[in-house]
Amino acid sequence: MLTKPRLQIHQDKNAPPVTGLQASIYNFRFSLGEVSGACLLYNSRTNAVLRISKQLAAQLDNALDASPITMEALTKRLHADLVEALNSGGFVVDASLDERRLLKAMDQNARFGSARLALTIAPTLACNFRCPYCYQDHKSRHMNAEVTERIKSFVGKQLRYLSDFSVSWYGGEPLLVKDRVLDLQRYFFEACKEANVNFGSSMITNGYLLEEELARTLSNTGVSFVQITLDGAAPSHNKRRKLKNGRGTFDRIYENLKTASQYFERISLRVNIDKTNPEDLDIIRDMVASDGLSDKVYVYPGKVDAVTDASRAYAENCYTRREFAEYEVQRGMEALTRGQDIETFPRLGNGCGAICSNAFVIDPDGYLYKCWNDVGERDACVGQLSEQGETYRPQLAQWEAFDRFESEECRACPYLPLCIAGCSYEEIAHGDASHKCTEFRWNLEEIVKLKYVSDLRHRLQSEGGASV
Ligand code: SF4
Ligand code: SF4
């Protein structure tokens, strides 16, 4: 099986490699066991997966021992289809290609390209819930009409330079101020249509206020992705994700989720997991499957982190990254046993808007931040949308100048393509340079194998064949 790579090197396919081919520095090889006699090749720069026999793998090693090797010579030693798969999956690369430089160039392009604008807007810091680990301090400030006009002006004057504009709603709970959200959302939707700019919009909400009519209106004004968070099955959720008056919220959120799923392209259902509720992910996955929502609702475990001072008291219940990596594997095996598909798989590219130059988080008062962890912390703001237009503070430079490639350890790391812009908050905001490594550093082999078996089973079942 070859999973198509999502990152492409744009080169003339007919042009021969300049100096022949060599093995990619981002290749991994995982044995599928002695009985199968096969192994999986995985490439962390392209995300491609290829199953080959161990015998072929040995022949490949022998051939590449003499690298750089020409395409013709490699094709003589291996089957032409295999060479094509190795080439298009990035397992063999032009010997003149410096893959680390390529990664860096792509990263710079993603971070500093000016044709994209990404805003995360917190129209309120207030929330109708009181979760024990939450990092928001629930200042009850709502965005006013003046700030929404400043946002419109900020976006409006950039539109003619943009190809893509994306907005993520966030809070507090954004639906507490749904009129402000809809006002801005309608403006963005219409203005982008007129300016021929691709517009994408998503929302992170606790789901409690996401009733049918509101879901329909949000969808009609361009919101296509929604993330809703549960704290596990009803008993643990209701203990933790409570209203201010102490009442539980599970049933209403789940009912809203079922209705809303018909309006949005996709709903990510994040199930917050820590050491107090490890089994709850399976319960929610079973509910979603038995309600026939699996095509629209993607259930995944969310690692609870106590990041800020307001949430540190909860830290002892949180998994470390390494523990969470083990947890993901256990739950993946459980999902396979239950006949469910595995969706966990590395995502490539820049996942952190905070270090992209044309990405900002906006708080209810129109202050600009780079990372949503800082929202409401005025000392950390990097600028402001004021009456006179936007102004920026020197703090902006530390985000723009951040470079994961400066670290010798990261430059040499085979997981670098999977976490180029992994969360850098602690390093930038607090000078803590201990690496926040991707969880795949500890569970990549198991996750790739689980995904392979899950996809294979899915394919065989849809072809009416045997089960795995
Ligand atoms: S620094 Fe971390 S928390 Fe902040 S936006 Fe980037 S990935 Fe998210
Ligand atoms: S943060 Fe960790 S996993 Fe990521 S590139 Fe650096 S050393 Fe590797």
PDB file of all heavy atoms in Angstrom, residues 425-458:
ATOM      1  N   TYR A 425       5.383  27.324  22.665  1.00  0.00           N
ATOM      2  CA  TYR A 425       4.914  28.346  23.600  1.00  0.00           C
ATOM      3  C   TYR A 425       5.866  28.535  24.781  1.00  0.00           C
ATOM      4  O   TYR A 425       6.263  29.651  25.100  1.00  0.00           O
ATOM      5  CB  TYR A 425       3.514  27.975  24.090  1.00  0.00           C
ATOM      6  CG  TYR A 425       2.993  28.904  25.149  1.00  0.00           C
ATOM      7  CD1 TYR A 425       2.544  30.175  24.819  1.00  0.00           C
ATOM      8  CD2 TYR A 425       2.968  28.517  26.486  1.00  0.00           C
ATOM      9  CE1 TYR A 425       2.081  31.041  25.792  1.00  0.00           C
ATOM     10  CE2 TYR A 425       2.507  29.375  27.461  1.00  0.00           C
ATOM     11  CZ  TYR A 425       2.063  30.633  27.117  1.00  0.00           C
ATOM     12  OH  TYR A 425       1.618  31.478  28.081  1.00  0.00           O
ATOM     13  N   GLU A 426       6.230  27.421  25.447  1.00  0.00           N
ATOM     14  CA  GLU A 426       7.058  27.545  26.655  1.00  0.00           C
ATOM     15  C   GLU A 426       8.398  28.192  26.329  1.00  0.00           C
ATOM     16  O   GLU A 426       8.915  28.993  27.085  1.00  0.00           O
ATOM     17  CB  GLU A 426       7.291  26.166  27.297  1.00  0.00           C
ATOM     18  CG  GLU A 426       6.051  25.555  27.927  1.00  0.00           C
ATOM     19  CD  GLU A 426       5.554  26.317  29.157  1.00  0.00           C
ATOM     20  OE1 GLU A 426       6.335  27.096  29.733  1.00  0.00           O
ATOM     21  OE2 GLU A 426       4.377  26.148  29.509  1.00  0.00           O
ATOM     22  N   GLU A 427       8.946  27.810  25.170  1.00  0.00           N
ATOM     23  CA  GLU A 427      10.261  28.333  24.806  1.00  0.00           C
ATOM     24  C   GLU A 427      10.191  29.830  24.508  1.00  0.00           C
ATOM     25  O   GLU A 427      11.026  30.614  24.951  1.00  0.00           O
ATOM     26  CB  GLU A 427      10.799  27.563  23.590  1.00  0.00           C
ATOM     27  CG  GLU A 427      12.211  27.964  23.239  1.00  0.00           C
ATOM     28  CD  GLU A 427      12.874  26.987  22.282  1.00  0.00           C
ATOM     29  OE1 GLU A 427      12.313  25.911  22.033  1.00  0.00           O
ATOM     30  OE2 GLU A 427      13.960  27.329  21.786  1.00  0.00           O
ATOM     31  N   ILE A 428       9.167  30.222  23.763  1.00  0.00           N
ATOM     32  CA  ILE A 428       9.088  31.626  23.368  1.00  0.00           C
ATOM     33  C   ILE A 428       8.587  32.490  24.530  1.00  0.00           C
ATOM     34  O   ILE A 428       9.149  33.538  24.835  1.00  0.00           O
ATOM     35  CB  ILE A 428       8.160  31.791  22.146  1.00  0.00           C
ATOM     36  CG1 ILE A 428       8.768  31.064  20.947  1.00  0.00           C
ATOM     37  CG2 ILE A 428       7.952  33.272  21.817  1.00  0.00           C
ATOM     38  CD1 ILE A 428       7.882  31.020  19.723  1.00  0.00           C
ATOM     39  N   ALA A 429       7.549  32.011  25.201  1.00  0.00           N
ATOM     40  CA  ALA A 429       6.932  32.858  26.228  1.00  0.00           C
ATOM     41  C   ALA A 429       7.716  32.841  27.537  1.00  0.00           C
ATOM     42  O   ALA A 429       7.775  33.841  28.243  1.00  0.00           O
ATOM     43  CB  ALA A 429       5.494  32.405  26.467  1.00  0.00           C
ATOM     44  N   HIS A 430       8.326  31.685  27.872  1.00  0.00           N
ATOM     45  CA  HIS A 430       8.975  31.590  29.183  1.00  0.00           C
ATOM     46  C   HIS A 430      10.442  31.198  29.113  1.00  0.00           C
ATOM     47  O   HIS A 430      11.061  30.906  30.135  1.00  0.00           O
ATOM     48  CB  HIS A 430       8.223  30.578  30.067  1.00  0.00           C
ATOM     49  CG  HIS A 430       6.794  30.967  30.309  1.00  0.00           C
ATOM     50  ND1 HIS A 430       5.739  30.123  30.065  1.00  0.00           N
ATOM     51  CD2 HIS A 430       6.244  32.133  30.731  1.00  0.00           C
ATOM     52  CE1 HIS A 430       4.608  30.749  30.343  1.00  0.00           C
ATOM     53  NE2 HIS A 430       4.884  31.967  30.741  1.00  0.00           N
ATOM     54  N   GLY A 431      10.995  31.120  27.896  1.00  0.00           N
ATOM     55  CA  GLY A 431      12.423  30.817  27.760  1.00  0.00           C
ATOM     56  C   GLY A 431      12.782  29.392  28.150  1.00  0.00           C
ATOM     57  O   GLY A 431      13.950  29.077  28.380  1.00  0.00           O
ATOM     58  N   ASP A 432      11.800  28.499  28.246  1.00  0.00           N
ATOM     59  CA  ASP A 432      12.089  27.099  28.583  1.00  0.00           C
ATOM     60  C   ASP A 432      12.385  26.349  27.288  1.00  0.00           C
ATOM     61  O   ASP A 432      11.483  26.013  26.529  1.00  0.00           O
ATOM     62  CB  ASP A 432      10.871  26.491  29.293  1.00  0.00           C
ATOM     63  CG  ASP A 432      11.017  24.983  29.485  1.00  0.00           C
ATOM     64  OD1 ASP A 432      12.105  24.457  29.189  1.00  0.00           O
ATOM     65  OD2 ASP A 432      10.042  24.351  29.922  1.00  0.00           O
ATOM     66  N   ALA A 433      13.678  26.071  27.035  1.00  0.00           N
ATOM     67  CA  ALA A 433      14.065  25.509  25.737  1.00  0.00           C
ATOM     68  C   ALA A 433      14.028  23.984  25.714  1.00  0.00           C
ATOM     69  O   ALA A 433      14.444  23.376  24.742  1.00  0.00           O
ATOM     70  CB  ALA A 433      15.453  26.000  25.356  1.00  0.00           C
ATOM     71  N   SER A 434      13.548  23.334  26.795  1.00  0.00           N
ATOM     72  CA  SER A 434      13.469  21.871  26.738  1.00  0.00           C
ATOM     73  C   SER A 434      12.432  21.524  25.667  1.00  0.00           C
ATOM     74  O   SER A 434      11.342  22.086  25.638  1.00  0.00           O
ATOM     75  CB  SER A 434      13.053  21.296  28.089  1.00  0.00           C
ATOM     76  OG  SER A 434      11.896  21.937  28.544  1.00  0.00           O
ATOM     77  N   HIS A 435      12.800  20.614  24.783  1.00  0.00           N
ATOM     78  CA  HIS A 435      11.970  20.392  23.600  1.00  0.00           C
ATOM     79  C   HIS A 435      10.622  19.790  23.943  1.00  0.00           C
ATOM     80  O   HIS A 435      10.517  18.902  24.774  1.00  0.00           O
ATOM     81  CB  HIS A 435      12.686  19.455  22.624  1.00  0.00           C
ATOM     82  CG  HIS A 435      13.935  20.046  22.087  1.00  0.00           C
ATOM     83  ND1 HIS A 435      13.998  21.323  21.602  1.00  0.00           N
ATOM     84  CD2 HIS A 435      15.178  19.540  21.984  1.00  0.00           C
ATOM     85  CE1 HIS A 435      15.227  21.569  21.209  1.00  0.00           C
ATOM     86  NE2 HIS A 435      15.965  20.514  21.438  1.00  0.00           N
ATOM     87  N   LYS A 436       9.614  20.278  23.264  1.00  0.00           N
ATOM     88  CA  LYS A 436       8.278  19.699  23.395  1.00  0.00           C
ATOM     89  C   LYS A 436       8.114  18.735  22.223  1.00  0.00           C
ATOM     90  O   LYS A 436       7.557  19.075  21.188  1.00  0.00           O
ATOM     91  CB  LYS A 436       7.209  20.795  23.338  1.00  0.00           C
ATOM     92  CG  LYS A 436       7.367  21.835  24.428  1.00  0.00           C
ATOM     93  CD  LYS A 436       7.031  21.252  25.798  1.00  0.00           C
ATOM     94  CE  LYS A 436       7.339  22.211  26.921  1.00  0.00           C
ATOM     95  NZ  LYS A 436       8.759  22.396  27.215  1.00  0.00           N
ATOM     96  N   CYS A 437       8.670  17.541  22.396  1.00  0.00           N
ATOM     97  CA  CYS A 437       8.729  16.608  21.271  1.00  0.00           C
ATOM     98  C   CYS A 437       7.345  16.076  20.908  1.00  0.00           C
ATOM     99  O   CYS A 437       6.487  15.910  21.769  1.00  0.00           O
ATOM    100  CB  CYS A 437       9.632  15.432  21.615  1.00  0.00           C
ATOM    101  SG  CYS A 437      11.334  15.933  21.885  1.00  0.00           S
ATOM    102  N   THR A 438       7.195  15.790  19.617  1.00  0.00           N
ATOM    103  CA  THR A 438       5.954  15.190  19.159  1.00  0.00           C
ATOM    104  C   THR A 438       5.755  13.820  19.810  1.00  0.00           C
ATOM    105  O   THR A 438       6.719  13.080  20.036  1.00  0.00           O
ATOM    106  CB  THR A 438       5.949  15.030  17.623  1.00  0.00           C
ATOM    107  OG1 THR A 438       4.879  14.171  17.254  1.00  0.00           O
ATOM    108  CG2 THR A 438       7.232  14.431  17.087  1.00  0.00           C
ATOM    109  N   GLU A 439       4.493  13.472  20.073  1.00  0.00           N
ATOM    110  CA  GLU A 439       4.220  12.157  20.662  1.00  0.00           C
ATOM    111  C   GLU A 439       4.674  11.022  19.744  1.00  0.00           C
ATOM    112  O   GLU A 439       4.961   9.918  20.201  1.00  0.00           O
ATOM    113  CB  GLU A 439       2.719  12.013  20.952  1.00  0.00           C
ATOM    114  CG  GLU A 439       2.314  12.654  22.264  1.00  0.00           C
ATOM    115  CD  GLU A 439       1.224  13.698  22.106  1.00  0.00           C
ATOM    116  OE1 GLU A 439       0.412  13.557  21.188  1.00  0.00           O
ATOM    117  OE2 GLU A 439       1.194  14.659  22.897  1.00  0.00           O
ATOM    118  N   PHE A 440       4.774  11.318  18.428  1.00  0.00           N
ATOM    119  CA  PHE A 440       5.192  10.269  17.494  1.00  0.00           C
ATOM    120  C   PHE A 440       6.633   9.832  17.746  1.00  0.00           C
ATOM    121  O   PHE A 440       7.058   8.790  17.282  1.00  0.00           O
ATOM    122  CB  PHE A 440       5.008  10.731  16.044  1.00  0.00           C
ATOM    123  CG  PHE A 440       3.556  10.922  15.693  1.00  0.00           C
ATOM    124  CD1 PHE A 440       3.052  12.177  15.417  1.00  0.00           C
ATOM    125  CD2 PHE A 440       2.690   9.843  15.673  1.00  0.00           C
ATOM    126  CE1 PHE A 440       1.718  12.354  15.119  1.00  0.00           C
ATOM    127  CE2 PHE A 440       1.346  10.003  15.382  1.00  0.00           C
ATOM    128  CZ  PHE A 440       0.854  11.265  15.098  1.00  0.00           C
ATOM    129  N   ARG A 441       7.370  10.642  18.468  1.00  0.00           N
ATOM    130  CA  ARG A 441       8.729  10.227  18.820  1.00  0.00           C
ATOM    131  C   ARG A 441       8.698   8.921  19.618  1.00  0.00           C
ATOM    132  O   ARG A 441       9.633   8.143  19.608  1.00  0.00           O
ATOM    133  CB  ARG A 441       9.384  11.342  19.639  1.00  0.00           C
ATOM    134  CG  ARG A 441      10.793  11.022  20.033  1.00  0.00           C
ATOM    135  CD  ARG A 441      11.512  12.229  20.578  1.00  0.00           C
ATOM    136  NE  ARG A 441      12.913  11.892  20.774  1.00  0.00           N
ATOM    137  CZ  ARG A 441      13.872  12.761  20.958  1.00  0.00           C
ATOM    138  NH1 ARG A 441      13.615  14.037  20.936  1.00  0.00           N
ATOM    139  NH2 ARG A 441      15.106  12.381  21.142  1.00  0.00           N
ATOM    140  N   TRP A 442       7.617   8.696  20.341  1.00  0.00           N
ATOM    141  CA  TRP A 442       7.534   7.505  21.189  1.00  0.00           C
ATOM    142  C   TRP A 442       6.607   6.429  20.632  1.00  0.00           C
ATOM    143  O   TRP A 442       6.651   5.299  21.083  1.00  0.00           O
ATOM    144  CB  TRP A 442       7.074   7.903  22.595  1.00  0.00           C
ATOM    145  CG  TRP A 442       8.066   8.792  23.262  1.00  0.00           C
ATOM    146  CD1 TRP A 442       9.302   8.430  23.733  1.00  0.00           C
ATOM    147  CD2 TRP A 442       7.943  10.196  23.498  1.00  0.00           C
ATOM    148  NE1 TRP A 442       9.948   9.520  24.249  1.00  0.00           N
ATOM    149  CE2 TRP A 442       9.137  10.626  24.128  1.00  0.00           C
ATOM    150  CE3 TRP A 442       6.950  11.138  23.248  1.00  0.00           C
ATOM    151  CZ2 TRP A 442       9.358  11.943  24.503  1.00  0.00           C
ATOM    152  CZ3 TRP A 442       7.173  12.448  23.621  1.00  0.00           C
ATOM    153  CH2 TRP A 442       8.363  12.839  24.241  1.00  0.00           C
ATOM    154  N   ASN A 443       5.714   6.797  19.689  1.00  0.00           N
ATOM    155  CA  ASN A 443       4.757   5.756  19.272  1.00  0.00           C
ATOM    156  C   ASN A 443       4.606   5.620  17.757  1.00  0.00           C
ATOM    157  O   ASN A 443       3.663   4.997  17.291  1.00  0.00           O
ATOM    158  CB  ASN A 443       3.385   5.998  19.925  1.00  0.00           C
ATOM    159  CG  ASN A 443       2.686   7.263  19.421  1.00  0.00           C
ATOM    160  OD1 ASN A 443       3.095   7.859  18.432  1.00  0.00           O
ATOM    161  ND2 ASN A 443       1.623   7.658  20.098  1.00  0.00           N
ATOM    162  N   LEU A 444       5.544   6.202  17.003  1.00  0.00           N
ATOM    163  CA  LEU A 444       5.369   6.213  15.542  1.00  0.00           C
ATOM    164  C   LEU A 444       5.191   4.804  14.971  1.00  0.00           C
ATOM    165  O   LEU A 444       4.289   4.549  14.171  1.00  0.00           O
ATOM    166  CB  LEU A 444       6.568   6.901  14.873  1.00  0.00           C
ATOM    167  CG  LEU A 444       6.446   7.026  13.356  1.00  0.00           C
ATOM    168  CD1 LEU A 444       5.328   7.968  12.966  1.00  0.00           C
ATOM    169  CD2 LEU A 444       7.760   7.499  12.734  1.00  0.00           C
ATOM    170  N   GLU A 445       6.048   3.866  15.388  1.00  0.00           N
ATOM    171  CA  GLU A 445       5.984   2.515  14.817  1.00  0.00           C
ATOM    172  C   GLU A 445       4.602   1.899  15.046  1.00  0.00           C
ATOM    173  O   GLU A 445       3.969   1.382  14.114  1.00  0.00           O
ATOM    174  CB  GLU A 445       7.062   1.624  15.441  1.00  0.00           C
ATOM    175  CG  GLU A 445       6.963   0.186  14.961  1.00  0.00           C
ATOM    176  CD  GLU A 445       8.179  -0.659  15.293  1.00  0.00           C
ATOM    177  OE1 GLU A 445       9.150  -0.120  15.866  1.00  0.00           O
ATOM    178  OE2 GLU A 445       8.160  -1.860  14.968  1.00  0.00           O
ATOM    179  N   GLU A 446       4.112   1.979  16.265  1.00  0.00           N
ATOM    180  CA  GLU A 446       2.816   1.366  16.577  1.00  0.00           C
ATOM    181  C   GLU A 446       1.685   2.063  15.823  1.00  0.00           C
ATOM    182  O   GLU A 446       0.770   1.416  15.311  1.00  0.00           O
ATOM    183  CB  GLU A 446       2.536   1.427  18.086  1.00  0.00           C
ATOM    184  CG  GLU A 446       3.410   0.516  18.926  1.00  0.00           C
ATOM    185  CD  GLU A 446       4.789   1.098  19.189  1.00  0.00           C
ATOM    186  OE1 GLU A 446       5.033   2.260  18.798  1.00  0.00           O
ATOM    187  OE2 GLU A 446       5.634   0.381  19.766  1.00  0.00           O
ATOM    188  N   ILE A 447       1.748   3.399  15.736  1.00  0.00           N
ATOM    189  CA  ILE A 447       0.670   4.139  15.063  1.00  0.00           C
ATOM    190  C   ILE A 447       0.651   3.814  13.567  1.00  0.00           C
ATOM    191  O   ILE A 447      -0.410   3.602  12.975  1.00  0.00           O
ATOM    192  CB  ILE A 447       0.838   5.668  15.289  1.00  0.00           C
ATOM    193  CG1 ILE A 447       0.597   6.013  16.762  1.00  0.00           C
ATOM    194  CG2 ILE A 447      -0.087   6.473  14.379  1.00  0.00           C
ATOM    195  CD1 ILE A 447      -0.815   5.833  17.268  1.00  0.00           C
ATOM    196  N   VAL A 448       1.834   3.740  12.949  1.00  0.00           N
ATOM    197  CA  VAL A 448       1.881   3.427  11.510  1.00  0.00           C
ATOM    198  C   VAL A 448       1.327   2.020  11.266  1.00  0.00           C
ATOM    199  O   VAL A 448       0.542   1.791  10.341  1.00  0.00           O
ATOM    200  CB  VAL A 448       3.324   3.561  10.966  1.00  0.00           C
ATOM    201  CG1 VAL A 448       3.429   2.992   9.553  1.00  0.00           C
ATOM    202  CG2 VAL A 448       3.745   5.030  10.958  1.00  0.00           C
ATOM    203  N   LYS A 449       1.693   1.077  12.133  1.00  0.00           N
ATOM    204  CA  LYS A 449       1.194  -0.299  11.948  1.00  0.00           C
ATOM    205  C   LYS A 449      -0.319  -0.369  12.166  1.00  0.00           C
ATOM    206  O   LYS A 449      -1.037  -1.030  11.416  1.00  0.00           O
ATOM    207  CB  LYS A 449       1.896  -1.245  12.925  1.00  0.00           C
ATOM    208  CG  LYS A 449       3.334  -1.552  12.561  1.00  0.00           C
ATOM    209  CD  LYS A 449       3.875  -2.517  13.589  1.00  0.00           C
ATOM    210  CE  LYS A 449       5.332  -2.800  13.409  1.00  0.00           C
ATOM    211  NZ  LYS A 449       5.879  -3.570  14.534  1.00  0.00           N
ATOM    212  N   LEU A 450      -0.798   0.303  13.207  1.00  0.00           N
ATOM    213  CA  LEU A 450      -2.247   0.287  13.478  1.00  0.00           C
ATOM    214  C   LEU A 450      -3.019   0.870  12.300  1.00  0.00           C
ATOM    215  O   LEU A 450      -4.032   0.325  11.862  1.00  0.00           O
ATOM    216  CB  LEU A 450      -2.561   1.107  14.740  1.00  0.00           C
ATOM    217  CG  LEU A 450      -2.264   0.442  16.084  1.00  0.00           C
ATOM    218  CD1 LEU A 450      -2.356   1.467  17.209  1.00  0.00           C
ATOM    219  CD2 LEU A 450      -3.229  -0.706  16.346  1.00  0.00           C
ATOM    220  N   LYS A 451      -2.517   1.978  11.780  1.00  0.00           N
ATOM    221  CA  LYS A 451      -3.203   2.642  10.663  1.00  0.00           C
ATOM    222  C   LYS A 451      -3.173   1.744   9.425  1.00  0.00           C
ATOM    223  O   LYS A 451      -4.157   1.646   8.680  1.00  0.00           O
ATOM    224  CB  LYS A 451      -2.502   3.980  10.389  1.00  0.00           C
ATOM    225  CG  LYS A 451      -3.079   4.764   9.241  1.00  0.00           C
ATOM    226  CD  LYS A 451      -4.359   5.460   9.640  1.00  0.00           C
ATOM    227  CE  LYS A 451      -4.856   6.362   8.524  1.00  0.00           C
ATOM    228  NZ  LYS A 451      -6.310   6.358   8.433  1.00  0.00           N
ATOM    229  N   TYR A 452      -2.044   1.078   9.227  1.00  0.00           N
ATOM    230  CA  TYR A 452      -1.918   0.190   8.068  1.00  0.00           C
ATOM    231  C   TYR A 452      -2.957  -0.935   8.151  1.00  0.00           C
ATOM    232  O   TYR A 452      -3.682  -1.210   7.195  1.00  0.00           O
ATOM    233  CB  TYR A 452      -0.496  -0.389   8.011  1.00  0.00           C
ATOM    234  CG  TYR A 452      -0.362  -1.468   6.970  1.00  0.00           C
ATOM    235  CD1 TYR A 452      -0.273  -1.136   5.621  1.00  0.00           C
ATOM    236  CD2 TYR A 452      -0.371  -2.816   7.325  1.00  0.00           C
ATOM    237  CE1 TYR A 452      -0.192  -2.122   4.655  1.00  0.00           C
ATOM    238  CE2 TYR A 452      -0.286  -3.808   6.367  1.00  0.00           C
ATOM    239  CZ  TYR A 452      -0.198  -3.454   5.036  1.00  0.00           C
ATOM    240  OH  TYR A 452      -0.135  -4.427   4.077  1.00  0.00           O
ATOM    241  N   VAL A 453      -3.037  -1.573   9.315  1.00  0.00           N
ATOM    242  CA  VAL A 453      -3.986  -2.689   9.477  1.00  0.00           C
ATOM    243  C   VAL A 453      -5.419  -2.179   9.332  1.00  0.00           C
ATOM    244  O   VAL A 453      -6.259  -2.795   8.669  1.00  0.00           O
ATOM    245  CB  VAL A 453      -3.785  -3.377  10.856  1.00  0.00           C
ATOM    246  CG1 VAL A 453      -4.860  -4.431  11.095  1.00  0.00           C
ATOM    247  CG2 VAL A 453      -2.406  -4.005  10.928  1.00  0.00           C
ATOM    248  N   SER A 454      -5.702  -1.013   9.920  1.00  0.00           N
ATOM    249  CA  SER A 454      -7.049  -0.451   9.850  1.00  0.00           C
ATOM    250  C   SER A 454      -7.443  -0.149   8.402  1.00  0.00           C
ATOM    251  O   SER A 454      -8.535  -0.498   7.947  1.00  0.00           O
ATOM    252  CB  SER A 454      -7.085   0.826  10.704  1.00  0.00           C
ATOM    253  OG  SER A 454      -8.227   1.569  10.446  1.00  0.00           O
ATOM    254  N   ASP A 455      -6.535   0.488   7.650  1.00  0.00           N
ATOM    255  CA  ASP A 455      -6.838   0.828   6.250  1.00  0.00           C
ATOM    256  C   ASP A 455      -6.996  -0.428   5.399  1.00  0.00           C
ATOM    257  O   ASP A 455      -7.864  -0.502   4.529  1.00  0.00           O
ATOM    258  CB  ASP A 455      -5.734   1.718   5.655  1.00  0.00           C
ATOM    259  CG  ASP A 455      -5.797   3.143   6.188  1.00  0.00           C
ATOM    260  OD1 ASP A 455      -6.740   3.441   6.954  1.00  0.00           O
ATOM    261  OD2 ASP A 455      -4.914   3.945   5.856  1.00  0.00           O
ATOM    262  N   LEU A 456      -6.145  -1.419   5.676  1.00  0.00           N
ATOM    263  CA  LEU A 456      -6.210  -2.668   4.906  1.00  0.00           C
ATOM    264  C   LEU A 456      -7.554  -3.360   5.149  1.00  0.00           C
ATOM    265  O   LEU A 456      -8.227  -3.812   4.220  1.00  0.00           O
ATOM    266  CB  LEU A 456      -5.049  -3.583   5.324  1.00  0.00           C
ATOM    267  CG  LEU A 456      -4.942  -4.926   4.616  1.00  0.00           C
ATOM    268  CD1 LEU A 456      -4.729  -4.720   3.117  1.00  0.00           C
ATOM    269  CD2 LEU A 456      -3.787  -5.749   5.196  1.00  0.00           C
ATOM    270  N   ARG A 457      -7.938  -3.421   6.420  1.00  0.00           N
ATOM    271  CA  ARG A 457      -9.221  -4.059   6.749  1.00  0.00           C
ATOM    272  C   ARG A 457     -10.378  -3.320   6.088  1.00  0.00           C
ATOM    273  O   ARG A 457     -11.280  -3.914   5.512  1.00  0.00           O
ATOM    274  CB  ARG A 457      -9.412  -4.073   8.272  1.00  0.00           C
ATOM    275  CG  ARG A 457     -10.718  -4.727   8.686  1.00  0.00           C
ATOM    276  CD  ARG A 457     -10.838  -4.843  10.176  1.00  0.00           C
ATOM    277  NE  ARG A 457     -10.924  -3.541  10.806  1.00  0.00           N
ATOM    278  CZ  ARG A 457     -10.920  -3.363  12.117  1.00  0.00           C
ATOM    279  NH1 ARG A 457     -10.801  -4.392  12.920  1.00  0.00           N
ATOM    280  NH2 ARG A 457     -11.024  -2.165  12.631  1.00  0.00           N
ATOM    281  N   HIS A 458     -10.315  -1.984   6.148  1.00  0.00           N
ATOM    282  CA  HIS A 458     -11.365  -1.162   5.545  1.00  0.00           C
ATOM    283  C   HIS A 458     -11.481  -1.479   4.049  1.00  0.00           C
ATOM    284  O   HIS A 458     -12.568  -1.648   3.510  1.00  0.00           O
ATOM    285  CB  HIS A 458     -11.002   0.306   5.753  1.00  0.00           C
ATOM    286  CG  HIS A 458     -12.121   1.242   5.474  1.00  0.00           C
ATOM    287  ND1 HIS A 458     -13.054   1.584   6.420  1.00  0.00           N
ATOM    288  CD2 HIS A 458     -12.484   1.888   4.348  1.00  0.00           C
ATOM    289  CE1 HIS A 458     -13.925   2.406   5.886  1.00  0.00           C
ATOM    290  NE2 HIS A 458     -13.601   2.605   4.633  1.00  0.00           N
TER     291      HIS A 458
END
